[in-house]
Amino acid sequence: MHGVAAPRCGPFASTSATDMRVLTLAGGTGAAKLIRGLATCMPQRDLTVIGNTGDDTEVWGLRVSPDLDTVMYALAGMLDVERGWGLAGETFNCLAAMATHGADTWFNLGDRDLATHLTRTRALDDGQSLATVTARLAGNLGVAACILPMSDEPVRTMIRIPGGRLTFQEYFVREKALVEVVGVDYEGAATARPAPGVIEAIRTADVIVVCPSNPVTSVGPILAVPGIVEALRSTAAPVVGVSPIVGGAAVSGPAAALMRVRGLAVSPLGVAAAYAPWLRRLLIDERDQACAPELARAGVEADPADIIMTTRAHETALARRILELSAERRAR
Ligand code: GDP
C-alpha cells in the first residue's frame, strides 16, 4: 500500500489575511536558492511553485524530475547546497554498482535520491498524475509549500545541435553544455495542458516571482504550455523577476549561449524580452544599471539589488526585497 493522500495542494491551501500568496515560476538551482530565501520570510503554506518539467528524464527505467526535486529538497532543508542539486550527505553506491553492470552512469542518482524516483515511478505506473505524486513526495518530506508541475503531460526540452538532437539532460549533464546549439524545442508543449491548480494559482496569487532561472530551458518550457502566458498577461498581481544574467554573462550554466540561439540579448533586456509583455519589474545587478532606461521603455521597472546569492543571508535578503517591492506595488 503506497497510495497516500490526494494532493494537499490546491492553488493556495490556506492563507492568513495578512500574508501574501506568492507564486513562483521555477527551474532548478537558481530558483531553489530564491525559494529557500522566500521560505524564510513567509509561511511555506502561502508559497506555490510552478516547476519546470521540460528537463524530466528516464534513468534506468526511473522517472526523474530534476527541477521539481531540487525545489522540493531545498524547501525540505535537504538540498546539497554546494552542488545545487541532490540530497546533502548523499552517497552514490548504487551508481557505482550500476557501472559494474555496464549501465550508463553519467546522470548522477544518489542512493537516498533513488527513493524519490522509485516512489514517483511506481505512482505514475499506477496511473497517478505527476501533480499528485509531486504533492505526496513533498508532503512526505515535510514541505508545506505547494509544488506544482507545469503540466502532468510530458513536455521535453530538446536541444538541436548540428546533425542531431539531444534531450536537455544529455546536453547539460552528459555533454556538459559544451556542444554547439542551433535551436531549442519544447516537444509536446503545444498539446500539453497546465496541471490542475496551475492557472488558478496564477489567478489568485498576490505576487508572481519569476526566479533567476534559465529563461530558455527552465522558464521557457513553463511558458510554452498553452494557457500559462495568457494567465500571466491577465493577472493584476505584480510580476517580478530576478535576472539570471549579470554583467553580460549567466551567473552559472548555459543560459547565455541558449539566449543567443533564441535571438535574446545576454543582458537584463534579453530577460525582459523573454518575459514580455507581462513582466512588470526586474531585479538587476548594480553593474547592469545602464539597462534601466531601456527596460523602462519596454514597460519593465528595474530595481538594482544584490542579486547573486552565495550565502543563505543573500537568499533571504533578496527574497525580502522582492516581497517589500511587491507589497509597495500592491499598496499603490
Ligand atoms: P537549472 O535547472 O539547474 O539550470 O536551474 P535554474 O534554471 O533555476 O538556474 C540556472 C540559472 O540561474 C542560470 O541562468 C544562472 O545564471 C542563474 N543563477 C544561478 N544562481 C544565481 C544567483 O545567485 N543569482 C542570480 N541572479 N541568478 C542565478
Side-chain angles (χ1 to χ4, degrees):
M1 169 68 203
H2 56 91
V4 187
R8 137 210 62 76
C9 92
F12 287 100
S14 72
T15 188
S16 69
T18 50
D19 294 327
M20 286 197 285
R21 293 164 299 180
V22 178
L23 175 75
T24 62
L25 305 185
T29 53
K33 292 192 274 182
L34 182 60
I35 288 170
R36 205 163 39 189
L38 285 165
T40 62
C41 304
M42 58 177 288
Q44 274 204 21
R45 65 171 191 280
D46 290 336
L47 182 61
T48 291
V49 178
I50 299 179
N52 170 40
T53 59
D55 298 10
D56 286 12
T57 191
E58 208 164 288
V59 182
W60 314 328
L62 298 177
R63 306 277 290 268
V64 182
S65 295
D67 283 356
L68 295 179
D69 291 348
T70 298
V71 169
M72 176 174 77
Y73 292 154
L75 283 166
M78 297 167 77
L79 186 71
D80 186 311
V81 176
E82 294 286 300
R83 275 199 300 254
W85 55 266
L87 291 160
E90 184 62 288
T91 54
F92 292 88
N93 296 311
C94 181
L95 190 78
M98 289 301 279
T100 309
H101 295 296
D104 270 340
T105 51
W106 54 263
F107 195 87
N108 298 293
L109 290 186
D111 295 331
R112 285 185 302 130
D113 188 33
L114 282 173
T116 300
H117 312 310
L118 285 163
T119 304
R120 175 185 296 115
T121 304
R122 196 156 55 144
L124 294 173
D125 286 350
D126 278 355
Q128 290 180 36
S129 70
L130 183 61
T132 300
V133 68
T134 301
R136 181 154 65 86
L137 286 165
N140 291 345
L141 298 185
V143 172
C146 174
I147 304 176
L148 293 169
M150 64 198 203
S151 177
D152 279 335
E153 286 134 359
V155 175
R156 293 293 170 264
T157 300
M158 300 301 298
I159 307 295
R160 267 185 281 131
I161 60 171
R165 286 187 344 144
L166 301 173
T167 65
F168 179 77
Q169 299 303 343
E170 286 169 338
Y171 163 71
F172 188 60
V173 181
R174 194 186 70 197
E175 303 300 328
K176 301 183 173 36
L178 294 173
V179 290
E180 185 193 344
V181 177
V182 295
V184 178
D185 303 312
Y186 309 122
E187 206 169 84
T191 54
R193 287 163 301 172
V198 163
I199 297 297
E200 203 178 341
I202 296 172
R203 287 209 188 109
T204 55
D206 295 312
V207 183
I208 298 176
V209 179
V210 188
C211 290
S213 289
N214 188 320
V216 181
T217 53
S218 288
V219 182
I222 299 175
L223 304 178
V225 176
I228 293 186
V229 164
E230 290 74 6
L232 290 166
R233 287 176 82 133
S234 55
T235 179
V239 185
V240 185
V242 177
S243 176
I245 303 293
V246 168
V251 175
S252 61
L258 297 175
M259 287 175 75
R260 269 188 217 104
V261 165
R262 279 284 165 98
L264 296 165
V266 183
S267 77
L269 293 166
V271 177
Y275 305 147
W278 43 271
L279 186 76
R280 295 275 160 258
R281 205 156 187 157
L282 186 62
L283 276 80
I284 61 171
D285 191 84
E286 317 256 332
R287 72 198 95 157
D288 288 321
Q289 289 221 43
C291 293
E294 205 171 329
L295 283 169
R297 282 194 288 280
V300 176
E301 204 170 329
D303 290 291
D306 189 358
I307 61 166
I308 299 192
M309 297 169 281
T310 49
T311 64
R312 297 297 290 266
H314 279 124
E315 296 170 7
T316 304
L318 183 56
R320 188 166 296 133
R321 182 80 189 120
I322 291 171
L323 295 178
E324 281 165 8
L325 287 169
S326 307
E328 270 171 32
R329 177 125 193 160
R330 285 204 312 150
R332 277 188 211 164

